[in-house]
């Protein structure tokens, strides 16, 4: 191999997966590019190189500057040549990071009689079990996790298959799982019945991981948010602002995240010489209900005449706030935040003047509930969790030992909903 190839970042070590001599990267630049067809010529030569060399997906590719220097072509010509290669999966271009080899380079490994839909050797087929595919239009959590998986999919060489849950019975899903047999199954679903399908996947020999805290006690690898770290993050901010009378509003819901957040709240206050029972925890009902009425009204329905769980939760929180007089409240969920804001409105309390509020979820309507005030929160690391899912799936498929539980930290976002307590 020539010295030029050794120096070039375009020269990726040969994987040994193809026969015959590898094309030298210098062959791309060996001949001058025709002035009237430079875009097409560069595109064809790059594709030929990728097909011959089969560099690993996600490995570093030449920068636009490198290509311009070696080819003598303009940056605009190079962009016009490479953009279609990105759309077709040959390359992956990320702003601020560079250009990387895309997953399509494996296609030439397929035999001439391989079925068109067959996944290339080395690619991990990741099945993702969702709670409800039909609810993605009002569920901002799952799309962000999926966006993280998608962002890392090229580098991890992962393809994705979605499995919906709500409208499909377990037997049907089990049969589908047995037919498709993904290399790895990742579950974002949170219902108790979903644990049955996870056990079925284990029985079928499918490597399985859990996303979130709902099924973290099944003994399966888990990628989840670090709820204790997130609670400590917002409580540190509350204490730094000077608050001593701090309470928590959270759902009475059988989920791991509820227990972790509530326990962390109590422990943090004890550790810093505060009584966790002076204000305490106000429990509200099912996580589905406090936002339900707002969705009905937004859809054009009249408010319910009969008091339902949302109204009862609002009354409970309002009466508790009036009785305990906290100076700051932690909203342990987005439904708790909505209920706190509605209760403060009914009590005539301003946020943050009369009451500071911090949260552990960013709901798209948070600013509306706070009347335009930006929420101070520990932001749920949804995209980062998705990226870790893709890389953990890759490791499981490769037989690499993974951590039993990967905890992804929250990030503090400072808004205007937290201020020092008002002097009385």
């Amino acid at each position: 191999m020539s010295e030029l190839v050794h120096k070039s970042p375009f020269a990726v070590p040969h994987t040994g997966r193809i026969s015959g001599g590898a094309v030298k990267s210098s062959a791309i630049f060996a001949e001058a590019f025709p002035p009237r067809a430079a875009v097409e010529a560069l595109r064809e030569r790059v594709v030929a190189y990728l097909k011959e060399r089969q560099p690993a997906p996600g490995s570093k590719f030449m920068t636009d500057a490198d290509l311009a220097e070696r080819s003598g072509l303009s940056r605009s010509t190079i962009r016009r040549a490479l953009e279609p290669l990105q759309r077709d999966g040959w390359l992956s271009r990320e702003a601020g990071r560079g250009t990387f080899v895309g997953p399509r380079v494996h296609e030439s490994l397929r035999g001439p009689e391989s079925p068109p839909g067959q996944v290339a050797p080395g690619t991990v087929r990741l099945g993702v079990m969702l709670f409800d595919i039909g609810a993605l239009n009002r569920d901002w959590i799952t799309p962000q996790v999926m966006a993280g998986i998608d962002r890392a999919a090229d580098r991890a060489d992962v393809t994705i298959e979605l499995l919906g849950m709500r409208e499909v019975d377990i037997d049907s899903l089990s049969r589908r799982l047995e037919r498709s047999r993904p290399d790895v199954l990742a579950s974002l679903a949170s219902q108790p019945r979903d644990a049955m399908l996870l056990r079925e996947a284990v029985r079928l020999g499918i490597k399985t991981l859990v996303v979130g805290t709902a099924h973290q006690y099944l003994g399966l690898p888990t990628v989840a948010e670090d709820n204790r770290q997130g609670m400590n993050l917002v409580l540190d901010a509350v204490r730094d602002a000077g608050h001593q009378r701090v309470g928590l509003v959270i759902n009475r819901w059988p989920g791991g995240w509820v227990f972790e957040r509530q326990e962390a709240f109590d422990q943090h206050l004890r550790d810093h010489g505060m009584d966790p029972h002076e204000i305490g925890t106000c429990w509200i009902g099912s996580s589905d209900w406090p936002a339900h009425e707002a969705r009905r009204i937004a859809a054009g329905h009249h408010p319910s005449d009969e008091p339902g769980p949302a109204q009862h939760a609002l009354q409970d929180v309002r009466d508790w706030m009036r009785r305990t007089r906290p100076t700051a409240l932690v909203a342990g969920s987005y439904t708790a935040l909505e209920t706190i804001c509605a209760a403060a409105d009914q009590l005539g309390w301003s946020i943050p003047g009369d009451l500071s509020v911090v949260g552990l979820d960013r709901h798209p309507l948070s600013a509306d509930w706070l009347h335009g005030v930006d929420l101070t929160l520990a932001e749920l690391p949804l995209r980062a969790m998705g990226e870790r899912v893709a890389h953990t799936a890759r490791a499981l498929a490769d037989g690499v030992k993974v951590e039993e539980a990967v905890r992804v930290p929250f990030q503090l976002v400072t808004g205007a909903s937290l201020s020092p307590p008002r002097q009385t």
Side-chain angles (χ1 to χ4, degrees):
M1 187 173 289
S2 70
E3 182 181 357
L4 181 62
V5 174
H6 282 292
K7 289 183 177 181
S8 170
F10 199 57
V12 183
H14 190 269
T15 62
R17 291 177 293 184
I18 59 173
S19 60
V23 172
K24 297 179 181 179
S25 62
S26 56
I28 296 176
F29 314 103
E31 299 179 4
F33 288 90
R36 296 182 181 275
V39 170
E40 292 78 8
L42 178 58
R43 188 181 304 148
E44 290 172 0
R45 293 183 194 181
V46 169
V47 170
Y49 170 84
L50 293 173
K51 285 183 176 180
E52 289 293 329
R53 289 297 304 271
Q54 291 291 330
S59 57
K60 190 76 173 176
F61 192 76
M62 288 187 77
T63 66
D64 288 5
D66 292 331
L67 285 167
E69 181 180 354
R70 298 192 61 186
S71 68
L73 301 175
S74 68
R75 292 284 190 94
S76 62
T77 298
I78 290 166
R79 282 195 297 270
R80 286 162 55 203
L82 299 190
E83 283 172 359
L85 301 186
Q86 180 181 15
R87 290 195 300 268
D88 293 341
W90 292 106
L91 298 175
S92 174
R93 291 161 67 79
E94 299 181 22
R97 293 181 58 85
T99 302
F100 302 87
V101 176
R104 191 171 172 182
V105 296
H106 280 312
E107 286 194 354
S108 62
L109 290 177
R110 297 176 182 169
E113 297 181 359
S114 298
Q118 180 177 314
V119 176
T123 298
V124 175
R125 295 173 54 246
L126 173 63
V128 181
M129 192 164 71
L130 304 181
F131 170 60
D132 184 2
I133 290 178
L136 293 184
N137 62 333
R138 63 176 185 267
D139 169 15
W140 83 100
I141 294 176
T142 302
Q144 290 194 54
V145 175
M146 293 302 302
I149 295 174
D150 184 64
R151 177 180 175 84
D154 272 1
R155 294 193 183 182
D157 198 5
V158 166
T159 63
I160 303 164
E161 175 185 354
L162 301 183
L163 299 166
M165 290 299 298
R166 177 171 289 178
E167 303 299 333
V168 183
D169 63 86
I170 288 292
D171 288 341
S172 297
L173 278 168
S174 179
R175 289 192 294 271
R176 178 179 171 188
L177 193 61
E178 189 163 9
R179 289 195 302 269
S180 62
R181 289 183 182 263
D183 299 310
V184 179
L185 178 67
S187 174
L188 278 66
S190 59
Q191 297 301 301
R193 71 166 197 158
D194 304 333
M196 298 169 60
L197 193 63
L198 294 175
R199 287 302 186 197
E200 179 66 6
V202 172
R203 185 188 71 80
L204 293 170
I206 298 170
K207 296 175 181 178
T208 306
L209 66 96
V210 171
V211 186
T213 61
H215 298 303
Q216 63 180 327
Y217 304 112
L218 294 178
L220 298 170
T222 302
V223 176
E225 72 278 11
D226 192 339
N227 289 295
R228 291 182 173 84
Q229 177 264 348
M231 180 61 74
N232 287 325
L233 202 60
V234 292
L235 285 174
D236 281 340
V238 167
R239 284 191 307 101
D240 289 345
H243 292 274
Q244 294 293 316
R245 297 184 58 78
V246 184
L248 169 67
V249 180
I250 198 166
N251 308 88
R252 186 180 287 107
W253 185 255
W257 60 273
V258 174
F259 304 126
E260 291 175 355
R261 294 180 185 186
Q262 203 281 327
E263 289 174 355
F265 173 82
D266 281 0
Q267 189 62 50
H268 185 101
L269 266 58
R270 290 193 198 96
D271 290 345
H272 292 87
M274 302 165 67
D275 183 358
H277 304 297
E278 182 177 1
I279 303 298
T281 298
C282 183
W283 297 92
I284 61 176
S286 165
S287 62
D288 291 333
W289 267 99
H292 175 71
E293 190 74 359
R295 289 198 296 267
R296 288 185 71 258
I297 295 171
H301 299 288
H302 292 293
S304 299
D305 295 327
E306 294 294 325
Q311 291 90 335
H312 287 307
L314 174 57
Q315 180 179 335
D316 290 345
V317 172
R318 183 192 63 215
D319 293 347
W320 174 76
M321 289 167 57
R322 183 191 287 121
R323 183 178 69 256
T324 58
R325 293 282 172 173
T327 63
L329 286 178
V330 178
S333 68
Y334 71 88
T335 52
L337 175 64
E338 181 188 19
T339 309
I340 290 169
C341 293
D345 288 344
Q346 291 190 1
L347 291 170
W349 295 4
S350 65
I351 299 174
D354 299 310
L355 176 72
S356 286
V357 179
V358 295
L360 280 88
D361 285 312
R362 181 193 291 275
H363 191 281
L365 296 178
S366 296
D368 292 340
W369 299 334
L370 287 161
H371 304 300
V373 174
D374 291 330
L375 179 67
T376 294
L377 76 154
E379 188 163 30
L380 208 58
L382 299 171
R383 288 177 181 257
M385 286 171 59
E387 292 186 22
R388 292 300 296 268
V389 168
H391 290 297
T392 302
R394 173 81 260 177
L396 284 171
D398 290 344
V400 177
K401 185 177 181 180
V402 300
E403 298 177 60
E404 182 177 336
V406 174
R407 291 290 184 170
V408 185
F410 285 72
Q411 298 295 321
L412 184 67
V413 178
T414 303
S417 66
L418 175 63
S419 66
R422 180 175 289 178
Q423 298 298 321
T424 58

